[in-house]
C-alpha cells in the first residue's frame, strides 16, 4: 500500500475512535452502584464504544454489499451488518438499565472514514475496506479482553462475551478476503497516533432525538443478549445511582 493509504490507516486505527472521552482518567473509578455490580468509567466507556462501532461499521457493511467487487468483501459485509445489528440491540438493552447515554452518530473521524469509502470503487475499495476494518477490529479486540477480565458488572461481562465473538468473527472474515497487509495492520495497531479528542468523540444525542436503531438483516445469524437470567427480580431492585450517562 502507498504512503497515503498507510497514513489514513494509521489515523483510523487508534482505539479511542470507538469511544468517547471519559470524565476521569481513572478507568477503574466507580460511577454507579447497580444491582448487576459496580459500574466503572471503563465499563461505561466500553458500552459506548460498542455502540459507536456499530454506527459506522454497520453502514460500511451496507456499502460493501453494494460496492464490493470480490466474494470475500461481499461475505465480510454481510457479517458486519449481521453482527453489529445484534450487538447494537444488546447495547440498547443494557444502556438504560445502567443509565448510560448512547450516541446516535459516530465520531467525526468515523464519519469521515465512511465518506472516504463511499468515494472509492473496485479494487481500491475492496483493499481499503479489508485493511481498515481488520485493523480497527484488531485494535478493539484487546480492549474487549481487558474489560471481560476486570469488570465486576454482569451486564458488561455479557456484552463483552458477545463483542468478543463478533469482533473475532469480523477479523477472520477480513483476513479471508486475502487483501490484508498484516505488516501494516500490526504496525498501526501497536503504534497508534495521538489524535485530538474532537476527532474521536461521538457527540451526545440532542434531547428528545429518537434513538437510532440498526435493523437486522432479513435472515440474521447473530442474536442479541438474552438477559432473562441476569434481570430476574429486577422490579424489586433499586435503580442505578448516580447517573452514568
Amino acid at each position: 500500500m502507498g504512503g497515503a493509504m498507510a497514513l489514513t490507516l494509521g489515523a483510523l486505527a487508534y482505539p479511542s475512535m470507538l469511544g468517547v472521552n471519559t470524565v476521569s482518567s481513572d478507568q477503574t473509578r466507580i460511577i454507579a452502584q447497580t444491582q448487576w455490580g459496580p459500574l466503572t468509567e471503563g465499563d461505561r466507556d466500553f458500552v459506548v464504544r460498542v455502540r459507536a462501532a456499530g454506527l459506522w461499521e454497520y453502514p460500511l457493511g451496507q456499502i460493501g454489499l453494494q460496492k464490493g467487487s470480490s466474494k470475500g468483501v461481499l461475505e465480510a459485509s454481510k457479517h458486519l451488518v449481521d453482527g453489529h445489528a445484534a450487538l447494537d440491540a444488546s447495547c440498547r438493552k443494557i444502556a438504560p438499565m445502567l443509565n448510560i447515554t448512547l450516541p446516535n452518530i459516530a465520531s467525526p473521524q468515523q464519519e469521515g472514514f465512511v465518506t472516504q469509502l463511499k468515494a472509492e470503487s473496485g479494487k481500491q475499495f475492496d483493499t481499503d475496506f479489508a485493511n481498515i476494518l481488520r485493523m480497527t477490529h484488531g485494535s478493539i479486540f484487546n480492549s474487549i479482553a481487558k474489560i471481560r477480565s476486570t469488570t465486576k458488572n454482569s451486564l458488561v461481562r455479557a456484552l463483552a462475551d458477545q463483542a468478543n465473538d463478533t469482533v473475532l468473527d469480523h477479523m477472520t472474515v477480513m483476513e479471508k478476503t486475502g487483501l490484508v497487509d498484516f505488516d501494516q495492520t500490526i504496525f498501526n495497531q501497536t503504534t497508534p497516533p495521538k489524535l485530538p479528542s474532537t476527532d474521536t468523540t461521538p457527540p451526545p444525542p440532542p434531547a428528545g432525538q429518537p434513538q437510532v436503531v440498526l435493523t437486522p438483516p432479513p435472515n440474521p445469524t447473530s442474536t442479541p443478549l438474552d438477559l432473562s437470567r441476569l434481570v430476574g427480580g429486577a422490579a424489586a431492585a433499586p435503580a442505578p445511582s448516580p447517573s452514568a450517562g
Side-chain angles (χ1 to χ4, degrees):
M1 293 184 293
M5 180 59 191
L7 178 60
T8 301
L9 290 174
L12 291 167
Y14 190 42
S16 72
M17 67 179 286
L18 300 177
V20 298
N21 284 351
T22 57
V23 175
S24 167
S25 60
D26 182 5
Q27 292 285 283
T28 64
R29 184 176 75 89
I30 296 174
I31 57 176
Q33 294 289 351
T34 82
Q35 69 194 71
W36 302 282
L39 186 76
T40 66
E41 289 273 14
D43 294 335
R44 187 259 309 275
D45 291 349
F46 174 70
V47 177
V48 173
R49 288 179 186 181
V50 174
R51 164 72 167 177
L55 291 173
W56 71 280
E57 292 175 16
Y58 176 96
L60 271 188
Q62 295 179 313
I63 293 169
L65 288 173
Q66 297 174 350
K67 302 180 70 171
S69 60
S70 68
K71 290 182 179 179
V73 168
L74 291 173
E75 182 65 22
S77 298
K78 293 178 183 178
H79 283 242
L80 284 179
V81 172
D82 184 83
H84 280 293
L87 271 179
D88 188 70
S90 297
C91 286
R92 289 184 286 105
K93 277 186 178 182
I94 71 172
M97 298 166 70
L98 298 173
N99 205 19
I100 295 174
T101 300
L102 297 177
N104 257 349
I105 61 175
S107 71
Q109 184 185 42
Q110 294 165 339
E111 291 292 314
F113 173 62
V114 175
T115 299
Q116 174 191 339
L117 280 187
K118 281 183 177 178
E120 297 180 354
S121 60
K123 182 71 171 181
Q124 181 183 8
F125 173 85
D126 286 0
T127 300
D128 290 0
F129 177 94
N131 279 277
I132 294 173
L133 285 165
R134 168 56 179 84
M135 180 169 37
T136 53
H137 281 87
S139 295
I140 198 64
F141 195 55
N142 292 331
S143 298
I144 295 170
K146 182 177 181 180
I147 285 291
R148 180 60 183 84
S149 64
T150 60
T151 184
K152 298 177 182 178
N153 189 285
S154 58
L155 294 182
V156 175
R157 278 199 299 274
L159 182 64
D161 285 342
Q162 183 186 0
N164 182 78
D165 292 343
T166 302
V167 170
L168 179 57
D169 172 68
H170 292 176
M171 289 170 61
T172 301
V173 292
M174 295 305 159
E175 294 164 356
K176 287 182 177 179
T177 64
L179 299 171
V180 174
D181 181 335
F182 285 95
D183 288 340
Q184 189 68 57
T185 294
I186 294 172
F187 174 79
N188 285 305
Q189 282 180 197
T190 57
T191 316
K194 294 182 179 180
L195 301 172
S197 62
T198 52
D199 288 351
T200 62
T201 304
Q209 184 182 72
Q211 190 174 57
V212 171
V213 174
L214 304 184
T215 306
N219 298 297
T221 59
S222 299
T223 56
L225 293 174
D226 179 1
L227 301 177
S228 57
R229 289 183 297 176
L230 295 176
V231 300
S241 177
S243 172

